[in-house]
Amino acid sequence: MKLKIKQSFFEYRFFFIASAFLWFKTYFIYKTAFEIPMDNVMQQVILFINPLSSTLLFLMFSLYFSGKNHRRMIVLISAVSTFVMYANMVFYRFFNDFITIPVLFQTSNMGDLGDSIFSLIEPLDLLVFADIIVLAVWMNRRNYAPKRASRKQIGITFAAAIAIFIINVGIAETERPQLLTRSFDREMLIKNIGTYNYHIYDAVIQSKAKAQRAFADGSEITDVENYVRANYKNPDPKMFGKAKGKNVFLISVESTQNFVINETVNGKEITPFLNDLISDSYYFPNFYHQTGQGKTSDSEFLLDNSLYPLPSGAVFFTHAQNQFNATPELIKKHGYESAVLHANNKSFWNRDIMYDSLGYDKFFSLKDYEVTPENSIGWGLKDKEFLQQSIPHIQSMKKPFYAKFITLTNHFPFTLDEEDEYIPEWTSDDGTVNRYFTTVRYTDEALKEFFESVKQAGLYKDSIFILYGDHYGISENHNPAMSQFLGKEITPFESVQLQKVPLIIHMPGQKGKVMETVGGQIDLKPTIMHLLGIETKNDIQFGTDLFAKGRQDFAVLRDSSFITKDHVFTGSVCYDKTTGEKTDSKACEALGERAKAELGFSDKIIYGDLLRFFDKNVHTEKMKQ
Ligand code: GP9
Ligand code: MN
């Protein structure tokens, strides 16, 4: 037995040598050609082992061949894999990102790359192919002619590759839960599952989207149009155009839930600045986030498109190639320049690619900020720094602008430097919840300073400010501490109520008021457009203007729960809002149908890329009838 194993190793020695070459080389390229940040030793380990499973799997195909063909396959597979790595290296030099299939086929990108490809290639790059030359020469000896491997040998190799892959993904999942279902970031995928596996993963996602798109046809958009048309509500004439021509500041307040507003912890206000701001703004205390697995990116999707994000995965990743009619694109025709400002890696949530599809003119990302260990915490640049450093960026923009600022400090695990703690942590048994209040308080302070700087920069008067929470910060895992804080049991009904996030619309020079209407992030697009005096009645959208007189109190969450004026429906149970008690399910029936229809239509649009069939002019004609 032992001898047999030894013999197999010897017989297929070039298979093992080539595997080792490819494995170590890939790791070497990770370390030298890409800038992949490493937070801990575990991540180093993952990075080191991640090329191994695919290397074994690919080279396994050579075992099906004997003699000369076996040798050729080894060289060929090594060469193709190396070429994939090399293509990523060159691509990275130009785009500072890894290749993703749609980008590769985007002609504009290839054009950019084509022009400069020679300046991106360096003589030393040849070293990447050195092992292949060595393999080709060394192996090319007639007396090295192994037999075709036995089924058992191939089976063992296959099992080993899969086992290593499972171990790899297993450790990666502990580092990054839901890595594969939520996608997150190309860099993170490469770091965790390796370049080769990442390309396979990317190919699967893209082909799935392509297939669904191919089966869709133009007639499907008609039902959606009819639905949207029937639910359209005219804007309040008093509010329509109220902010015409103003700059738009959209501020995504990370993980901020509505329950912290006007609330204290240990007698200290959690959001003193926001509480003040609310007193001369429109404030919506019954406003819900509607995000799914795509978290911040889902909130952005809702905001810019008035479509729902997907039931699983992040639409920013899976359907960035779709046709959209997003706000940045629409307001361009009204003279607006649009930008996103966010001090994180530009490929996080596939933002760099999605923002192009949404029609954003500019994206100020990590590379546009000065980020040092001193001015960073947790996920990156501290909010105060981020917002201050954003001022020159917006000053550089054409007016009027539509600019989305994405804050980050109040992100799980809610860590802060001591100097940034304006209120002490809370004192329950749950560290996450305790820290949450303190980081929310910090972001509140950062926003206060930002408003001061905006005023100093002379940008305040001609702007409107829309601040919204992107999604929850405290998950249901923390119900005991939340229940202690709120002084009540967290029932499924209360859990839905906790999905409220603040929405504050501040228009300098106007008083504003508290708006009790029930709504969600899907309503932001028509609300903003109408304030700017831009019609939306011909757009495909599922939201309704939050100021519209005839609007229905209604918000559908991504898990199909929904909230109306008097009821909350969740987990197949209808609750009375005033008592929080279960009530006759009939009361929720009518709007239940609507909630289902709406999510269904929105998903259909995304899966089928249906907006490519949408002709606004035909829709306009129908609206007139
Ligand atoms: C990352 C930021 C936070 O860029 O958007 O991500 P999240 O986990 O909140 O979606
Ligand atoms: Mn977020």
Side-chain angles (χ1 to χ4, degrees):
M1 176 73 183
K2 241 188 182 164
L3 190 70
K4 249 187 154 177
I5 297 177
K6 233 180 169 173
Q7 266 174 2
S8 299
F9 268 108
F10 186 71
E11 178 154 22
Y12 298 104
R13 59 192 176 279
F14 282 107
F15 164 84
F16 290 106
I17 292 169
S19 303
F21 274 164
L22 191 58
W23 174 15
F24 295 133
K25 178 168 67 184
T26 307
Y27 179 70
F28 181 73
I29 293 174
Y30 286 162
K31 297 303 275 182
T32 53
F34 309 132
E35 291 153 39
I36 305 179
M38 289 286 133
D39 299 337
N40 54 43
V41 183
M42 201 41 136
Q43 294 188 358
Q44 296 278 10
V45 174
I46 297 174
L47 188 75
F48 181 66
I49 58 168
N50 82 35
L52 184 56
S53 61
S54 29
T55 299
L56 284 179
L57 199 65
F58 298 157
L59 283 165
M60 183 188 85
F61 287 98
S62 68
L63 298 177
Y64 283 101
F65 298 87
S66 60
K68 196 161 65 184
N69 286 339
H70 172 71
R71 302 194 307 250
R72 282 185 181 158
M73 282 307 279
I74 288 187
V75 175
L76 182 74
I77 294 166
S78 304
V80 171
S81 313
T82 305
F83 183 76
V84 170
M85 279 315 285
Y86 184 60
N88 272 296
M89 274 170 69
V90 175
F91 191 85
Y92 197 91
R93 283 181 195 151
F94 194 72
F95 293 107
N96 212 342
D97 197 353
F98 299 94
I99 295 174
T100 168
I101 295 164
V103 175
L104 203 57
F105 292 109
Q106 237 167 46
T107 41
S108 60
N109 279 331
M110 279 333 260
D112 284 353
L113 200 61
D115 292 341
S116 45
I117 201 135
F118 289 105
S119 58
L120 294 170
I121 294 177
E122 292 161 18
L124 266 182
D125 293 352
L126 273 181
L127 278 180
V128 172
F129 296 93
D131 64 321
I132 305 207
I133 299 166
V134 171
L135 275 177
V137 175
W138 191 17
M139 264 186 0
N140 204 10
R141 285 175 297 173
R142 235 160 266 235
N143 58 357
Y144 181 61
K147 295 194 299 289
R148 181 189 196 276
S150 68
R151 271 191 153 173
K152 196 172 160 198
Q153 284 165 323
I154 295 178
I156 290 172
T157 316
F158 182 72
I162 298 300
I164 295 168
F165 180 71
I166 291 173
I167 294 170
N168 178 177
V169 173
I171 330 182
E173 281 275 331
T174 55
E175 269 289 302
R176 253 289 142 188
Q178 295 181 305
L179 177 75
L180 297 184
T181 43
R182 292 184 54 192
S183 303
F184 299 107
D185 185 9
R186 266 186 291 291
E187 187 179 275
M188 212 173 268
L189 281 165
I190 302 250
K191 188 158 124 179
N192 285 292
I193 60 168
T195 320
Y196 308 115
N197 290 329
Y198 154 72
H199 283 306
I200 296 170
Y201 173 82
D202 186 39
V204 170
I205 286 190
Q206 300 304 337
S207 336
K208 211 170 130 197
K210 275 246 151 54
Q212 280 169 332
R213 185 178 189 272
F215 285 119
D217 70 76
S219 63
E220 293 175 46
I221 194 85
T222 319
D223 289 350
V224 182
E225 278 184 59
N226 291 339
Y227 175 83
V228 169
R229 206 158 2 120
N231 286 295
Y232 175 78
K233 293 283 178 285
N234 281 320
D236 176 353
K238 283 211 214 80
M239 297 306 286
F240 188 82
K242 197 116 203 190
K244 200 175 164 90
K246 300 273 189 210
N247 302 313
V248 183
F249 282 76
L250 297 154
I251 307 176
S252 159
V253 193
E254 178 60 43
S255 301
T256 301
Q257 290 169 237
N258 195 59
F259 77 89
V260 295
I261 300 289
N262 286 322
E263 186 59 78
T264 56
V265 64
N266 298 330
K268 299 232 160 59
E269 263 185 301
I270 306 166
T271 56
F273 171 68
L274 293 182
N275 299 347
D276 260 6
L277 187 70
I278 282 170
S279 62
D280 52 6
S281 304
Y282 291 97
Y283 167 56
F284 298 80
N286 295 307
F287 180 79
Y288 291 80
H289 85 81
Q290 295 160 304
T291 61
Q293 291 182 317
K295 302 296 281 294
T296 313
S297 69
D298 278 358
S299 73
E300 296 183 63
F301 186 76
L302 281 146
L303 161 81
D304 285 331
N305 297 290
S306 194
L307 294 173
Y308 291 93
L310 292 178
S312 71
V315 52
F316 261 43
F317 247 101
T318 53
H319 291 80
Q321 298 304 305
N322 276 17
Q323 166 87 43
F324 295 107
N325 296 316
T327 310
E329 192 179 315
L330 298 174
I331 57 174
K332 209 174 289 194
K333 299 186 195 95
H334 298 265
Y336 274 83
E337 186 171 51
S338 57
V340 182
L341 301 97
H342 182 44
N344 195 2
N345 195 356
K346 67 183 166 121
S347 68
F348 203 99
W349 287 133
N350 201 29
R351 284 186 172 105
D352 49 348
I353 293 171
M354 187 57 160
Y355 288 163
D356 272 346
S357 302
L358 298 178
Y360 275 103
D361 295 314
K362 290 190 171 147
F363 177 20
F364 298 100
S365 67
L366 185 65
K367 64 174 179 8
D368 302 294
Y369 290 84
E370 212 185 298
V371 184
T372 63
E374 290 73 45
N375 68 13
S376 304
I377 188 82
W379 278 56
L381 189 62
K382 295 180 183 178
D383 284 348
K384 278 191 178 186
E385 279 286 334
F386 157 65
L387 291 168
Q388 292 310 323
Q389 290 188 33
S390 294
I391 299 274
H393 293 323
I394 42 167
Q395 276 175 321
S396 74
M397 290 183 65
K398 282 210 303 274
K399 314 278 165 336
F401 54 71
Y402 172 91
K404 176 162 70 187
F405 300 76
I406 305 174
T407 62
L408 197 54
T409 306
N410 186 43
H411 193 290
F412 180 82
F414 313 114
T415 40
L416 272 188
D417 285 329
E418 223 176 282
E419 71 210 40
D420 296 319
E421 291 183 2
Y422 290 88
I423 53 172
E425 287 173 13
W426 190 42
T427 44
S428 76
D429 291 339
D430 188 328
T432 301
V433 179
N434 296 350
R435 291 192 301 278
Y436 180 69
F437 298 110
T438 317
T439 38
V440 172
R441 175 66 185 84
Y442 166 81
T443 296
D444 182 80
E445 193 69 19
L447 290 169
K448 178 179 165 195
E449 288 181 8
F450 182 57
F451 268 72
E452 282 158 14
S453 303
V454 168
K455 283 181 185 163
Q456 268 164 25
L459 288 167
Y460 177 72
K461 272 211 336 277
D462 289 325
S463 305
I464 65 163
F465 300 83
I466 297 153
L467 293 86
Y468 65 95
D470 60 349
H471 47 75
Y472 67 80
I474 301 296
S475 71
E476 290 182 6
N477 299 337
H478 304 280
N479 277 356
M482 281 305 288
S483 154
Q484 186 187 340
F485 183 78
L486 298 171
K488 55 184 166 193
E489 195 196 337
I490 311 295
T491 58
F493 166 79
E494 288 298 339
S495 280
V496 170
Q497 296 301 64
L498 282 172
Q499 305 313 309
K500 289 181 188 174
V501 292
L503 168 64
I504 302 168
I505 301 183
H506 179 72
M507 298 194 253
Q510 289 181 39
K511 268 255 45 47
K513 62 174 178 212
V514 176
M515 305 283 291
E516 293 292 345
T517 186
V518 176
Q521 289 161 332
I522 201 135
D523 301 314
L524 285 168
K525 179 180 171 219
T527 307
I528 297 168
M529 294 286 256
H530 291 168
L531 286 174
L532 300 181
I534 303 169
E535 295 270 8
T536 67
K537 63 168 177 276
N538 302 319
D539 295 353
I540 296 276
Q541 59 188 7
F542 293 100
T544 32
D545 183 342
L546 291 163
F547 293 107
K549 286 275 184 273
R551 75 165 264 121
Q552 185 151 33
D553 289 271
F554 189 49
V556 186
L557 309 189
R558 191 53 261 200
D559 68 356
S560 302
S561 302
F562 63 88
I563 305 95
T564 68
K565 193 162 187 290
D566 304 313
H567 298 97
V568 165
F569 181 84
T570 188
S572 323
V573 180
C574 187
Y575 293 89
D576 184 311
K577 245 167 122 177
T578 35
T579 60
E581 299 293 328
K582 289 183 190 174
T583 180
D584 186 2
S585 61
K586 282 221 166 50
C588 287
E589 249 162 39
L591 281 162
E593 287 307 312
R594 184 171 157 198
K596 254 199 237 122
E598 218 162 86
L599 289 171
F601 281 139
S602 180
D603 291 349
K604 227 173 167 178
I605 290 183
I606 298 169
Y607 292 136
D609 189 9
L610 295 186
L611 292 179
R612 72 197 144 122
F613 301 120
F614 174 59
D615 183 339
K616 204 162 173 169
N617 299 324
V618 176
H619 191 72
T620 314
E621 278 311 306
K622 285 191 198 154
M623 287 296 281
K624 282 187 197 147
Q625 285 162 20

